């Protein structure tokens, strides 16, 4: 669970797979898969666990989350209602279930498809917050309080896009509850990114790393900024090295080598490394690898060949992590194929 909160999803999966017969482990395994865009694996973990634990509230919340990804809003609402009904009478237990439901809706909801009721998520997370804050301070689980506030901030941002002030306060309250909860600092950085406030964006990511040096999510964004935006390979390298040291050995770690090849415009090498990663890692391929191969193919003037890699990127990347530039990449890939004109226009509208 600590690995999950630090964005070390591959590490979380490798640990949780060993005890996936337990409902709690299956829930966190599914969440790790969701964050890495591995929806089929998440669905398999949830379905198997529900077979033996049909009324577990956390598994029901995860089931609803999967149903939202499948655009089955009505079925998802039934799963969320069942999860809340299955919660125990204990205040903390109720708060945990409400948090799981609010988190599920928030992570699945996006401003392109708008599937799910984001205001319901805000209401349930607010209820969870009020429950834990009504408890005596010495009885509160600091990480739970921080997580609820962070999820509430995320939900608030999605309910009122472009308005970050209330969310900012919730992130701050999360850090007050647990100063080591780097996820809240990382999320706060995303507000500054959306405002194109680069100095505060980088400063807040560094604060996330200071709060918890094992937070791969923040390290990954710092690496991404210096390698792609600043195009400063020397500054990016220490972050890449830290990420590799924190993650379990595997083909995905070769991604950083592929990025280096791309940065020096050695597109053929980047393509070859990327394709090797995909063949070796299979369904556990880092989603960014597909994107890197697509960019490299476009760099090699082989735009049409980038299409399957762009499509695989969108299939495998968590919706939360898809940015406007990704839609622009998709439009570029389609732009040289006759008959795709309408899809190109729609893709740019999705980016907007």
């Amino acid at each position: 669970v600590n690995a999950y909160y630090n964005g070390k999803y591959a590490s979380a999966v490798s640990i949780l797979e060993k005890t996936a017969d337990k409902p709690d482990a299956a829930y966190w395994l599914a969440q790790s898969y969701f964050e890495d865009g591995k929806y089929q694996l998440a669905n398999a973990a949830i379905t198997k666990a529900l077979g033996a634990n049909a009324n577990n509230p956390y598994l029901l919340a995860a089931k609803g989350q999967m149903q939202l990804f499948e655009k089955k809003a009505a079925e998802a609402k039934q799963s969320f209602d069942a999860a809340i009904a299955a919660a125990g009478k204990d205040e903390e237990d109720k708060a945990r279930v409400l948090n799981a439901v609010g988190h599920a809706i928030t992570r699945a909801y996006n401003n392109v498809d708008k599937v799910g009721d984001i205001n319901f998520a805000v209401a349930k997370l607010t209820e969870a917050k009020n429950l834990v804050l009504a408890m005596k301070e010495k009885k509160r689980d600091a990480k739970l309080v921080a997580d609820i506030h962070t999820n509430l901030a995320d939900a608030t941002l999605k309910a009122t896009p472009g308005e970050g002030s209330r969310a900012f306060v919730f992130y701050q309250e999360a850090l007050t509850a647990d100063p080591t909860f780097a996820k809240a600092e990382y999320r706060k950085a995303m507000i500054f990114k959306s405002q194109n406030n680069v100095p505060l964006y980088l400063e807040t990511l560094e604060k996330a790393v200071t709060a918890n040096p094992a937070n791969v999510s923040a390290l990954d964004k710092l690496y991404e900024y210096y390698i792609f935006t600043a195009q400063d390979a020397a500054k990016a390298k220490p972050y890449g090295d830290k990420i590799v040291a924190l993650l379990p050995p595997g083909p995905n770690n070769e991604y950083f080598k592929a990025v280096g090849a791309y940065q020096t415009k050695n597109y053929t090498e980047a393509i070859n490394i990327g394709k090797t990663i995909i063949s070796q890692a299979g369904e556990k391929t880092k989603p960014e690898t597909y994107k890197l191969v697509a960019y490299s193919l476009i760099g090699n003037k082989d735009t049409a060949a980038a299409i399957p890699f762009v499509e695989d990127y969108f299939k495998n990347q968590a919706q939360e992590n898809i940015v406007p530039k990704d839609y622009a990449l998709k439009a570029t890939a389609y732009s040289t194929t006759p008959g795709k004109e309408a899809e190109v226009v729609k893709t740019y509208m999705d980016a907007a």
Side-chain angles (χ1 to χ4, degrees):
V1 176
N2 284 332
Y4 164 83
Y5 278 119
N6 282 325
K8 295 161 63 178
Y9 306 121
S11 298
V13 165
S14 67
I15 299 165
L16 292 161
E17 279 179 330
K18 296 167 188 171
T19 54
D21 56 319
K22 295 181 173 67
D24 280 5
Y27 171 79
W28 289 110
L29 177 60
Q31 294 307 318
S32 300
Y33 281 140
F34 279 140
E35 292 296 334
D36 236 0
K38 307 292 186 283
Y39 300 120
Q40 289 183 334
L41 291 173
N43 193 25
I46 295 162
T47 304
K48 184 178 178 182
L50 276 169
N53 306 275
N55 295 315
N56 183 277
Y58 304 102
L59 293 175
L60 287 167
K63 180 183 178 182
Q65 189 172 350
M66 187 68 231
Q67 288 166 327
L68 286 181
F69 284 123
E70 294 171 341
K71 299 182 171 53
K72 298 175 181 175
E75 291 95 327
K77 180 65 165 60
Q78 290 178 350
S79 296
F80 295 138
D81 288 343
I84 293 167
K89 294 182 179 180
D90 178 75
E91 286 183 342
E92 184 177 306
D93 189 48
K94 279 185 188 173
R96 286 186 185 278
V97 173
L98 290 168
N99 184 43
V101 168
H103 165 85
I105 298 168
T106 304
R107 299 308 283 161
Y109 186 89
N110 69 83
N111 291 102
V112 175
D113 300 319
K114 294 184 168 64
V115 177
D117 187 350
I118 192 64
N119 291 314
F120 181 79
V122 171
K124 295 301 142 188
L125 288 164
T126 301
E127 194 178 333
K129 174 178 75 78
N130 292 338
L131 278 170
V132 293
L133 293 182
M135 294 168 63
K136 289 183 179 178
E137 191 170 350
K138 63 181 179 181
K139 288 188 175 181
R140 291 179 204 154
D141 180 332
K143 184 165 277 188
L144 173 61
V145 177
D147 194 37
I148 291 170
H149 279 90
T150 301
N151 289 329
L152 180 56
D154 290 349
T156 302
L157 277 173
K158 290 188 176 184
T160 53
E163 173 49 58
S165 55
R166 280 180 65 217
F168 183 89
V169 171
F170 290 135
Y171 290 135
Q172 288 292 89
E173 289 176 358
L175 289 159
T176 299
D178 182 355
T180 70
F181 200 73
K183 183 180 174 183
E185 201 75 75
Y186 166 78
R187 292 280 195 216
K188 197 183 359 164
M190 295 305 107
I191 295 179
F192 298 127
K193 184 181 183 183
S194 72
Q195 296 169 343
N196 205 29
N197 188 333
V198 174
L200 270 178
Y201 171 60
L202 297 176
E203 181 186 318
T204 310
L205 286 175
E206 292 288 3
K207 282 183 181 177
V209 175
T210 301
N212 192 333
N215 192 275
V216 169
S217 297
L219 290 167
D220 204 40
K221 291 297 180 188
L222 286 163
Y223 176 82
E224 188 180 272
Y225 173 80
Y226 285 114
I227 200 79
F228 291 117
T229 306
Q231 295 194 348
D232 188 336
K235 258 196 166 176
K237 189 177 183 301
Y239 298 110
D241 291 344
K242 285 177 185 175
I243 294 166
V244 171
L246 287 165
L247 295 179
N252 280 311
N253 291 345
E254 292 295 299
Y255 167 77
F256 299 97
K257 192 184 289 183
V259 169
Y262 174 81
Q263 283 303 110
T264 57
K265 298 189 177 180
N266 190 342
Y267 301 127
T268 301
E269 186 183 351
I271 293 163
N272 290 337
I273 296 170
K275 286 181 175 179
T276 300
I277 293 169
I278 294 165
S279 68
Q280 291 180 354
E283 60 189 358
K284 293 185 178 179
T285 298
K286 180 182 174 75
E288 287 79 5
T289 303
Y290 298 109
K291 181 163 70 169
L292 186 67
V293 172
Y295 271 120
S296 301
L297 285 163
I298 291 168
N300 252 0
K301 312 295 183 191
D302 195 0
T303 303
I307 292 174
F309 293 96
V310 172
E311 290 177 342
D312 280 341
Y313 172 71
F314 273 81
K315 281 180 202 166
N316 289 283
Q317 180 60 282
Q319 181 70 42
E320 181 77 18
N321 297 330
I322 293 174
V323 297
K325 266 188 168 181
D326 295 339
Y327 289 103
L329 169 65
K330 187 178 182 182
T332 301
Y334 286 151
S335 66
T336 59
T337 304
K340 292 277 189 183
E341 292 81 6
E343 195 155 356
V344 169
V345 172
K346 182 190 179 300
T347 303
Y348 277 123
M349 292 305 294
D350 286 347

